[in-house]
Amino acid sequence: MSLTTKLAAIGAALALATPALAEIEIHDAYARAAMANAKSGAAFMEIHNTGTEDDRLVAASSDVSKKVELHTHIASADGVMQMVEVEEGFPIPAGETHMLKRGGDHVMFMGLNGPMNDGETVTVTLTFERAGDKVVEIPIDLKRQPKEGMAH
Ligand SMILES: [Cu+2]
């Protein structure tokens, strides 16, 4: 085997090895707005990290609104739930599932460009620290009730 062939073989082996680090799967995603004329909406989903390395959702983007932020809810001193932006994003540990759910962590669409109509879909790009960009088609479901927690 010539040196060039050996180097090519090593390169191919490395290229095959790299993508296994973090593998992200999105399940059961849906998006909604609280009212027909709402200025904002949100998306919820299960994020599975099936890889062997911790990952982190660091950003989200979409054409559906002027801004897309990662939000969570915190209780203020008087017990009222408030939304805050989570600039560092959501950690997705290896082998675990992180839930984005009503009353908890969510993807927030700020300044909707149009109404969110039941049955349509929104295209959202989720950016992960390791897995990179993942484009998901999220169905709009205005009728779905939260499994737990309080309404958005
Ligand atoms: Cu929010």
Side-chain angles (χ1 to χ4, degrees):
M1 209 190 265
S2 74
L3 180 60
T4 328
T5 317
K6 271 183 198 159
L7 287 176
I10 291 166
L14 286 176
L16 283 174
T18 316
L21 288 176
E23 292 180 23
I24 296 294
E25 288 178 19
I26 311 293
H27 292 293
D28 199 25
Y30 70 105
R32 68 190 306 280
M35 290 165 288
N37 59 349
K39 299 268 191 298
S40 61
F44 312 93
M45 68 199 77
E46 298 175 12
I47 304 172
H48 298 260
N49 183 347
T50 60
T52 54
E53 299 275 343
D54 293 348
D55 208 338
R56 180 180 286 270
L57 176 61
V58 289
S61 63
S62 175
D63 290 341
V64 78
S65 60
K66 287 168 188 68
K67 267 204 307 187
V68 184
E69 294 179 353
L70 301 176
H71 275 193
T72 194
H73 282 88
I74 51 163
S76 66
D78 50 4
V80 177
M81 295 300 277
Q82 293 179 319
M83 292 197 303
V84 290
E85 185 179 7
V86 184
E87 300 214 13
E88 70 275 20
F90 307 133
I92 324 283
E96 290 189 22
T97 297
H98 187 84
M99 299 287 294
L100 304 190
K101 62 187 179 194
R102 310 237 301 253
D105 297 344
H106 56 278
V107 174
M108 189 84 193
F109 306 119
M110 317 277 289
L112 292 177
N113 293 321
M116 290 180 81
N117 297 317
D118 194 52
E120 293 180 359
T121 58
V122 295
T123 304
V124 178
T125 302
L126 301 170
T127 304
F128 294 89
E129 209 165 60
R130 287 178 176 274
D133 284 356
K134 223 172 159 56
V135 178
V136 283
E137 297 286 332
I138 301 180
I140 298 170
D141 186 347
L142 302 182
K143 298 180 198 81
R144 181 155 161 172
Q145 298 300 313
K147 279 180 190 162
E148 54 183 303
M150 48 205 311
H152 192 274

